[in-house]
C-alpha cells in the first residue's frame, strides 16, 4: 500500500469522472495549481496506483456480448494456476481476470460476438486443459452495466455523474473503418491527442474530431475513466451478488436505486444468471462493505433471497474493449 494524500484522492476521483480533463481543468476542480496536479498524477502513474485511462464503450452498440465465468478449482497447483492465467491473459477474448476468495477462486469475462464464439473460447482456453481441476462453475451474461465515479474517496454523499452505460442497447451501430481504427487506437488510452490520431490515420484533425464526436453522440463512447490498483490505493475490493425472491419491476427498481446511490459501488451490473444484480464495491475497510450488505438485507427482507460477498484479491487484467475488435 502506498500513502495516498487528499490531493491524490481528489485527482483519482476526478480522473474517474472524466479522464480527459487537462491539468488546468483538474487544478480548477480541486482548487490547486497545474504544476501540483502534474506532479501528483505523474507520481500516481509511476507508482502504479493509476493503471490506465480508458474510454467506456457501449459493448452492445459495437456488437459485443460479455459472458462471465466464475470458477472454483480443486487440486490445481500454483504452478498450473500461473500457467493457466498467463494463457488467459494473452487471449484477445478474455478482457477481465480476477482472483477471489469466497465461493469462487477465479472470475473471468469473455467478450465475444455471440454465444457460439464464447463456447469455443471457453472450451479451448479453460475446460479442455484445466477441466479436471474445475470443481464447480457458473456462467452469467451481462445484460447491462453502469460505471460510477469513486465518490467514496472524497466522502461524497451524492453522485455527481450518472453511471456510464456499458451495454445498454438492442441495436448494433454501424461505424466506418476510420472510426473502427480510432476505437482500436484509443481503447487503452483515453488521454489521447487528436493530432496524434490524425497523423496515424492520415486524416486531418477536424475529420478525426468529427468522427469521435459522432461516436460520442451515438453513445458508442460513453465517457472516459481511470483504472486503479486497489491494493496500492489501499482499499478493499468486493463482488456483491444479489439474488431476488420478489421479481416485480417495482421491487427491482427499489433495490437498483438503493445500490446506485451508495458511494462505495463503482460498477453495477444487471445479469442473466442465478443472481439478478452484481456489484463491484470498493471501500476503505471490509466493515463498510459488510455494513452495505447488511443494509441491503434489512431494507429489503421480503424482496431479496440472499446477498453473496466475494473478496477480489487481485485484478489481473482489465480491458473495456476486446483486442480482437
Amino acid at each position: 500500500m502506498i500513502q495516498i494524500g487528499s490531493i491524490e484522492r481528489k485527482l483519482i476521483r476526478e480522473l474517474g469522472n472524466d479522464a480527459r480533463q487537462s491539468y488546468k481543468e483538474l487544478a480548477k476542480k480541486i482548487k490547486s495549481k497545474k504544476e501540483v496536479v502534474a506532479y501528483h498524477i505523474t507520481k500516481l502513474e509511476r507508482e502504479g496506483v493509476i493503471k490506465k485511462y480508458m474510454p467506456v464503450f457501449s459493448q452492445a452498440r459495437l456488437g459485443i456480448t460479455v459472458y462471465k465465468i466464475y470458477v472454483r478449482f480443486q487440486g490445481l497447483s500454483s504452478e498450473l494456476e500461473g500457467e493457466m492465467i498467463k494463457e488467459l491473459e494473452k487471449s484477445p477474448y478474455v478482457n477481465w481476470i480476477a482472483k477471489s476468495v469466497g465461493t469462487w477462486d477465479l472470475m473471468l469475462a469473455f467478450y465475444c460476438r455471440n454465444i457460439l464464439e464464447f463456447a469455443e473460447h471457453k472450451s479451448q482456453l479453460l475446460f479442455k486443459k484445466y477441466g479436471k481441476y474445475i470443481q464447480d462453475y457458473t456462467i452469467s451474461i451481462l445484460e447491462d452495466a453502469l460505471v460510477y465515479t469513486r465518490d467514496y474517496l472524497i466522502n461524497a454523499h451524492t453522485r455527481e455523474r450518472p453511471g456510464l452505460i456499458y451495454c445498454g442497447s438492442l441495436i448494433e451501430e454501424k461505424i466506418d473503418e476510420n472510426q473502427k481504427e480510432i476505437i482500436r487506437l484509443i481503447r487503452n488510452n483515453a488521454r489521447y491527442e487528436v493530432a496524434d490520431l490524425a497523423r496515424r490515420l492520415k486524416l486531418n484533425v477536424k475529420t478525426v474530431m468529427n468522427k469521435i464526436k459522432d461516436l460520442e453522440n451515438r453513445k458508442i463512447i460513453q465517457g472516459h475513466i481511470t483504472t486503479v490498483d486497489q491494493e496500492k490505493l489501499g482499499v478493499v475490493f468486493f463482488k456483491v451478488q444479489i439474488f431476488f425472491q420478489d421479481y416485480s419491476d417495482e421491487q427491482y427498481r427499489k433495490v437498483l436505486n438503493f445500490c446506485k446511490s451508495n458511494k462505495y459501488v463503482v460498477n453495477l451490473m444487471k445479469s442473466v444468471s442465478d443472481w439478478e444484480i452484481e456489484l463491484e464495491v470498493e471501500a476503505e475497510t471490509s466493515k463498510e462493505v459488510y455494513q452495505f450488505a447488511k443494509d441491503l438485507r434489512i431494507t429489503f427482507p421480503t424482496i431479496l433471497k440472499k446477498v453473496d460477498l466475494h473478496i477480489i484479491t487481485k485484478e489481473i487484467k482489465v480491458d473495456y474493449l476486446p483486442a480482437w475488435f
Side-chain angles (χ1 to χ4, degrees):
M1 191 180 91
I2 294 162
Q3 287 298 113
I4 307 294
S6 61
I7 288 178
E8 290 162 336
R9 292 166 72 90
K10 289 175 185 176
L11 286 171
I12 292 168
R13 193 253 188 172
E14 284 299 332
L15 285 166
N17 192 32
D18 179 5
R20 286 196 55 72
Q21 294 181 87
S22 67
Y23 290 162
K24 184 179 179 180
E25 289 169 321
L26 289 165
K28 187 176 179 182
K29 286 276 184 69
I30 70 166
K31 297 180 174 56
S32 184
K33 295 180 179 179
K34 188 170 73 171
E35 295 76 17
V36 173
V37 166
Y39 168 78
H40 284 288
I41 289 177
T42 302
K43 177 172 174 278
L44 289 166
E45 291 171 345
R46 184 178 65 249
E47 292 177 340
V49 179
I50 290 176
K51 293 200 287 190
K52 56 185 174 181
Y53 308 99
M54 297 191 295
V56 174
F57 299 98
S58 171
Q59 306 298 315
R61 293 178 194 272
L62 293 172
I64 299 165
T65 303
V66 180
Y67 303 87
K68 293 188 176 182
I69 305 180
Y70 303 82
V71 188
R72 181 168 68 249
F73 295 103
Q74 185 173 17
L76 182 70
S77 67
S78 297
E79 184 181 352
L80 268 179
E81 181 189 47
E83 179 186 302
M84 176 187 65
I85 288 173
K86 281 182 182 177
E87 289 176 10
L88 290 165
E89 272 190 276
K90 289 177 185 174
S91 171
Y93 291 90
V94 179
N95 270 43
W96 182 67
I97 305 171
K99 296 175 74 171
S100 64
V101 174
T103 306
W104 311 111
D105 300 315
L106 192 67
M107 300 179 175
L108 306 168
F110 285 72
Y111 286 48
C112 301
R113 297 173 185 89
N114 53 58
I115 196 164
L116 293 177
E117 191 172 74
F118 164 64
E120 178 189 348
H121 292 290
K122 169 182 74 74
S123 176
Q124 292 294 333
L125 289 167
L126 195 62
F127 284 80
K128 283 190 175 179
K129 191 167 183 181
Y130 304 100
K132 64 182 177 181
Y133 303 107
I134 295 175
Q135 186 182 46
D136 195 13
Y137 75 95
T138 191
I139 292 172
S140 73
I141 304 171
L142 194 64
E143 177 190 340
D144 200 2
L146 298 170
V147 182
Y148 288 103
T149 306
R150 291 180 167 84
D151 293 315
Y152 67 88
L153 288 174
I154 62 164
N155 201 28
H157 295 289
T158 57
R159 293 289 196 189
E160 180 182 326
R161 185 203 71 197
L164 301 176
I165 298 172
Y166 196 52
C167 289
S169 177
L170 294 173
I171 300 168
E172 182 180 346
E173 296 280 348
K174 302 298 181 187
I175 58 176
D176 64 35
E177 284 304 314
N178 284 322
Q179 286 177 315
K180 273 193 176 181
E181 191 57 33
I182 287 169
I183 287 171
R184 292 177 188 126
L185 290 170
I186 70 173
R187 59 184 282 270
N188 281 321
N189 178 24
R191 290 180 71 79
Y192 58 83
E193 296 288 343
V194 176
D196 179 55
L197 294 178
R199 185 171 58 254
R200 295 173 74 172
L201 291 165
K202 296 182 173 59
L203 298 172
N204 64 58
V205 169
K206 187 175 180 181
T207 299
V208 173
M209 289 176 68
N210 287 338
K211 288 187 179 294
I212 293 172
K213 193 67 179 173
D214 177 61
L215 292 169
E216 292 172 344
N217 288 340
R218 289 195 282 156
K219 305 297 183 184
I220 294 168
I221 296 176
Q222 288 274 324
H224 306 87
I225 65 163
T226 303
T227 62
V228 301
D229 184 315
Q230 287 87 0
E231 186 178 2
K232 290 180 179 178
L233 182 57
V235 299
V236 293
F237 187 21
F238 279 74
K239 272 279 186 191
V240 180
Q241 292 165 341
I242 302 172
F243 300 72
F244 281 70
Q245 58 186 4
D246 184 337
Y247 293 88
S248 67
D249 290 344
E250 181 186 356
Q251 306 294 21
Y252 183 84
R253 280 194 298 272
K254 284 180 182 177
V255 177
L256 207 59
N257 290 333
F258 183 90
C259 296
K260 286 178 180 179
S261 65
N262 188 280
K263 65 185 176 183
Y264 298 114
V265 174
V266 294
N267 289 299
L268 183 153
M269 288 149 274
K270 300 177 186 177
S271 300
V272 180
S273 60
D274 296 340
W275 54 89
E276 282 68 42
I277 296 175
E278 180 178 324
L279 309 173
E280 289 182 355
V281 179
E282 295 175 0
E284 307 290 344
T285 68
S286 300
K287 182 179 177 181
E288 287 94 347
V289 184
Y290 296 144
Q291 185 61 52
F292 170 59
K294 184 178 178 181
D295 290 344
L296 269 169
R297 296 187 190 103
I298 292 171
T299 309
F300 306 106
T302 61
I303 299 173
L304 302 183
K305 187 186 298 178
K306 63 175 178 173
V307 178
D308 281 353
L309 299 181
H310 312 275
I311 302 170
I312 296 180
T313 56
K314 181 75 174 175
E315 200 171 38
I316 297 163
K317 182 177 181 179
V318 186
D319 282 338
Y320 272 33
L321 193 77
W324 58 256
F325 181 80

